[in-house]
Amino acid sequence: MTVTEIGTSRRRKEDQRLITGRTRYTDNMVLPGMLHLAMVRSPYANATITAINIDEAKASPGVVMVITGKDIAEQQGSLPCAWPITPDQKGPPHPSLAVDRVSFAGEVVACIVARTAAAARDAVELVDVDYDELPVVLDLEDALTDGNLVHPELGTNLSATWVFDSGEAGTGGDAVKAIADGEVVIERTYHQQRLIPAFMEPRSTVVDPTGEQITMWSATQIPHILRLMLALTLSIPESKVRVIAPDVGGGFGGKLQVTPEEVITMLAARKTGKPCKYTETRSESLMAAHHGRAQVQKLKLSATRDGILTGLDVRLLADMGAYLGLVGPGVPILGAFMFPAIYKIPAYRFECKNLFTNKAWTDAYRGAGRPEATFAIERLMDDLAAELGMDPMELRRKNWITHEEFPFTTVCGLEYDSGNYEAATDKAMELFGYDELRAEQKARRESGDRVQLGLGISTFTEMCGLAPSRVLGSLDYGAGGWEYAQVRVLPTGNVEVVTGVSGHGQGHETAWSQIVADRLGVPFDNVEILHGDTQVAQKGMDTYGSRSLAVGGMAVVAAADKVIEKARTVAAHLLEANKDDIDFEAGRFSVKGTDQGMTLGEISLATFAAHNLPDGFEPSLDSDATFDPGNFSFPHGTHLAAMEIDTETGESTLRKYVCVDDIGNVVNPMIVEGQVHGGLVQGIAQALFEEAIHDESGTLVTGSFVDYLVPSAADLPSFTTDRTETPATSNVLGVKGVGEAGCIASTPAIVNGVIDALRHLGVTDMKMPCSPFRVWSTLQEAAVSGTSSGGVGDTPPVVQPTSPEQTGLNSSGSLPTGDVQ
C-alpha cells in the first residue's frame, strides 16, 4: 500500500539538530584569525557629528582598528531601496556608517575591530563623539506639517504619495461620491503602533575575505537578494560574493533587509584581510533593526441603512523612520489591495503618504501591510454594526463574497480565485458557541457584573505567494517574484532538492521532502533539501510574503515533473516500449498492460552508467525549473475571541479563542498548526502587549524585554483551531499559504472583543496595546465625558487609582509577570 506524504503530520526533519544543539547559527562560526566587531551608536535621534576622537579606543588592548564614516565614505555606498513606489519618491542616501550626521538614536557612528568580542565592546566606551543636537520629528502629523525636517536636503518629510482610485482605474465607482451620497457614513482614525519583530536569534554576520570569493554567513531571510545588493552597493563582481544563510532563528520580516552591519562587516574584513564577525546585542536588535507597522489610518465607510456597503475611503500616514528600507515604501501599498477584504465594496479610494521621522526605519513585519488593512476594515465593520444596531456577524454576512461568486474580481482589480467564507464562519461559530456567549454577555450587562464579556470577530483574507512578476513590475517593485528549484536523482536513487527559498523556522526541509517523496515515489528519508547558500542554490528570490510553498514549492513540483519525463524516456528505451505506453506510479515505470517495469532508482543508475541510453540523450535526470504564478493565492478565515474585561482594574483576559482558516490543501497539518499558533501569538501581542515607545528626544525607551512586552505561553490560553479547504487554482497542489494568517487575523479579533465588552459603557475605540492601564484610563474618560474616542493612554487619566493593585499593574505600571491579559 502506497503511503501518501502530502497531508501527513510528520515531525520536522530539521528539529532534531535544532533542539539538540547540533546546528550552526552564524554566531557559532569560528574561523582562524577571526576578528570581532562592536558598534558605536548615536544616543541622539537627530544631530550633526562635529568630532570623533578614537585615539584612546585605538590604544585599547586587543583593538586592531577603529573605522569611522569618513574613513569609508567613498567605499560604503548607500544601502538599497528596491521599491520606489512613485517616480518622484524622495529618499536620502543611507550610509552604513554615519559620516557627518545621524538621523535616529542607534545609528552607527564608528566600528571597533578587535581580537576578541570583549575587547571590542570595551573599546566602544572609549570613543568620544561630539554632537550638536537638533530638533526631532517623531509624530506623523507633525512630520506632515512641521517646519522641522529629518533630511533638510530633501526640503520635505514627505517621501511619496501613492493613490489608488477605483473610479479612475475602472475597477469600481467613485468612492468620494459614494460616501457623499451614503445613507450612513462612519469616520474613524485608527493607530497602528510601532512594533519590533523581536526574532529569537539576534542578527549576526561573519565575513571571510581570504578565499577566491568573499564569503558572508548571515542570519538573513534573503541570501540571494543580499548577495546582489552587496555587489551593487560595494561595486564587487557578483561572482566574487557568496552568501550563506545557515540555520536562522526566526525572522518575521525583520531579517528581510540589507543591514548597515552586514556592509560594515564586509568592509572591515576587506580592510583587515581577515575574517570578521559582528553579533548584535538584544538591545541593539530592538533599537536598530528595522521596526514594523507604524501608521495612522483615517477612514470613511458608507452604507445603506439596511447595512449594504457603498464606499470606502482610506487615507494613510505611514512612518518610514529615518531612511527607506529595502521594501519599506511598498509595505503600505501591499495593504492597499486588502482594505476591501472579503467584502463587495463597489467604490474605493486609497491614499498613502510615506513620511520620514527621526526613528529607526520601518520595513516588512509579519503580514507586511495586510495586518494593518485587515485591522482597519474589521474595526470599521464592528463600528458600523454598532451604528446600525446590527449584530456584527450579520453585517459581515450581508456584504461578503459568497462561495458561488468565485472567481471574484474585487474593487482593487484582484481576482480572488477560490474561497468559502460561509463554511469557515459556520464552523468557527459552532466551535466558539457564539449564541451561548452572546446570551452570557447580555446577562452580565443586565446584572452590572464587574467583569464584562466581549466577543471579537475577524473575518479576513490576504494576498499570499508574493510573486506574480508582472504585477510586481506594475507596482515598480525592483525585482521579479519567480522562484527556482532543482531536483537531482543520485545514482543510488536518493534525491537532492535545491530550492531558492531558505527557511528560518517554517519547516521547508520537511514539507519539500514530503512533496518530492509523493511526486517521485521515493522514501521521505531519502530526500535531502539544500538551501540558503548562493553557491549551492545559485538562483532564488528567497523567503517572505507567505511565498515559500505557493511559489517555491511549485518550482520544486515542476522540477520533479521534469525528472519524471526524462526518466520516462530512458524507461521506454530500456523496456523497448513506446514512451506513450509507459506509466509512472509510486516510483515505478511500467509498460501498460504488462508487469515489465523499472524503479526510478534503477533508471537513475542506468542513466549514470550511460551504457544504453537513447541517441542524443544526456546522461542525467537532473532537472531545474522556475515558477512564476499568474496570480496571488488568497487564504481566508474566521477568528473569534471572547474577552473578559475587569471594569475596576482594566485587566483583559482572553478567555477563548477559536479560528478556522482556509489555506487550501495542506502538506503537513502539524507544521500548519505551529504556524497558526505562532501567528496568533504575534497578532494578540500587538493587541494587548507590544509597543515600541520613544521619549520626547527620540530615544527608544522599550529597548529590552523588560520594557518591550513579548507574551509567553503562560500569558495566553490554549487555542481552538480548525480548517476548511477550498483549493487554490493558481498552482497544481492547490495550496495558499499560512505563515502570516494568524498574525493578520488575530489583532482585530482581540481589539473588537475588548471594545465589544465596553461599548455599552461608552467606549468606542482604544489605542493598542490594550494594556490594563489603557483600558482603565479609557473607562475613566468614558465615565466622565460620556464617550471615548480612544485617544487616551498617552495622557494621565481623569481619576488616578489609589494603588497599583487597583489597576492590576505592578509599581512600574507594567503587567505583573505571569498575569494573563
Side-chain angles (χ1 to χ4, degrees), residues 237-435:
E238 189 180 357
S239 62
K240 294 297 184 183
V241 180
R242 178 185 183 184
V243 174
I244 301 171
D247 286 315
V248 175
F252 312 122
K255 293 175 181 171
L256 198 175
Q257 197 61 257
V258 179
T259 70
E261 295 83 1
E262 286 165 332
V263 172
I264 294 168
T265 307
M266 177 79 83
L267 289 170
R270 295 178 76 191
K271 286 175 76 71
T272 61
K274 294 186 176 183
C276 288
K277 177 196 284 188
Y278 169 74
T279 301
E280 67 188 4
T281 65
R282 179 64 67 187
S283 290
E284 285 180 301
S285 178
L286 295 175
M287 174 173 56
H290 77 244
H291 295 171
R293 310 288 190 256
Q295 292 181 1
V296 175
Q297 304 172 315
K298 300 182 178 183
L299 311 118
K300 294 179 182 178
L301 181 66
S302 62
T304 63
R305 286 191 176 85
D306 60 353
I308 302 300
L309 303 181
T310 59
L312 174 64
D313 186 283
V314 176
R315 310 291 171 102
L316 294 188
L317 302 180
D319 189 351
M320 296 292 99
Y323 298 103
L324 298 179
L326 186 64
V327 298
V331 167
I333 309 312
L334 287 176
F337 296 94
M338 287 289 97
F339 276 88
I342 68 173
Y343 305 114
K344 293 179 285 192
I345 299 175
Y348 171 57
R349 187 181 188 279
F350 173 94
E351 177 183 288
C352 177
K353 294 183 181 296
N354 285 349
L355 295 160
F356 292 113
T357 62
N358 290 116
K359 299 178 183 179
W361 70 96
T362 61
D363 212 305
Y365 173 54
R366 197 171 192 169
R370 280 118 354 120
E372 298 93 308
T374 300
F375 178 86
I377 189 63
E378 289 304 289
R379 287 287 296 112
L380 279 175
M381 293 299 283
D382 261 35
D383 283 356
L384 178 60
E387 184 78 16
L388 296 171
M390 187 180 295
D391 182 272
M393 189 62 83
E394 179 189 352
L395 178 66
R396 288 167 168 83
R397 289 185 188 276
K398 274 178 173 277
N399 288 282
W400 67 36
I401 304 156
T402 64
H403 70 277
E404 297 94 348
E405 295 176 285
F406 288 97
F408 184 90
T409 301
T410 75
V411 72
C412 299
L414 292 179
E415 184 183 277
Y416 294 177
D417 62 324
S418 67
N420 191 329
Y421 309 139
E422 304 97 305
T425 300
D426 289 345
K427 182 177 279 192
M429 290 183 72
E430 181 181 355
L431 291 169
F432 191 61
Y434 186 87
D435 292 339

Side-chain angles (χ1 to χ4, degrees), residues 160-192:
T161 300
W162 192 91
V163 177
F164 175 85
D165 189 304
S166 64
E168 294 178 2
T171 56
D174 182 333
V176 174
K177 184 178 187 304
I179 290 170
D181 295 342
E183 295 176 358
V184 178
V185 178
I186 62 170
E187 186 171 351
R188 297 289 186 270
T189 298
Y190 301 135
H191 294 81
Q192 288 281 324

Side-chain angles (χ1 to χ4, degrees), residues 342 421 424-425 428 458-461 635-639 659-662 724 745:
I342 68 173
Y421 309 139
T425 300
S458 175
T459 52
F460 83 105
T461 190
H636 68 83
T638 297
H639 289 226
C659 64
V660 175
D661 290 300
D662 191 323
T724 55

Side-chain angles (χ1 to χ4, degrees), residues 217-245:
W217 290 262
S218 183
T220 181
Q221 297 175 221
I222 52 168
H224 297 92
I225 295 173
L226 177 57
R227 178 198 191 201
L228 173 62
M229 292 303 180
L230 286 172
L232 293 174
T233 300
L234 300 177
S235 299
I236 305 170
E238 189 180 357
S239 62
K240 294 297 184 183
V241 180
R242 178 185 183 184
V243 174
I244 301 171

Side-chain angles (χ1 to χ4, degrees), residues 67 304 382 516 624 650 748-749 819:
I67 305 172
T304 63
D382 261 35
V516 172
D624 55 8
D819 278 11

Side-chain angles (χ1 to χ4, degrees), residues 169 467 586 671 743 757 791:
I671 290 178
C743 192

Side-chain angles (χ1 to χ4, degrees), residues 485-497:
Q486 182 183 51
V487 174
R488 308 195 292 235
V489 185
L490 305 179
T492 57
N494 287 6
V495 178
E496 290 179 338
V497 178

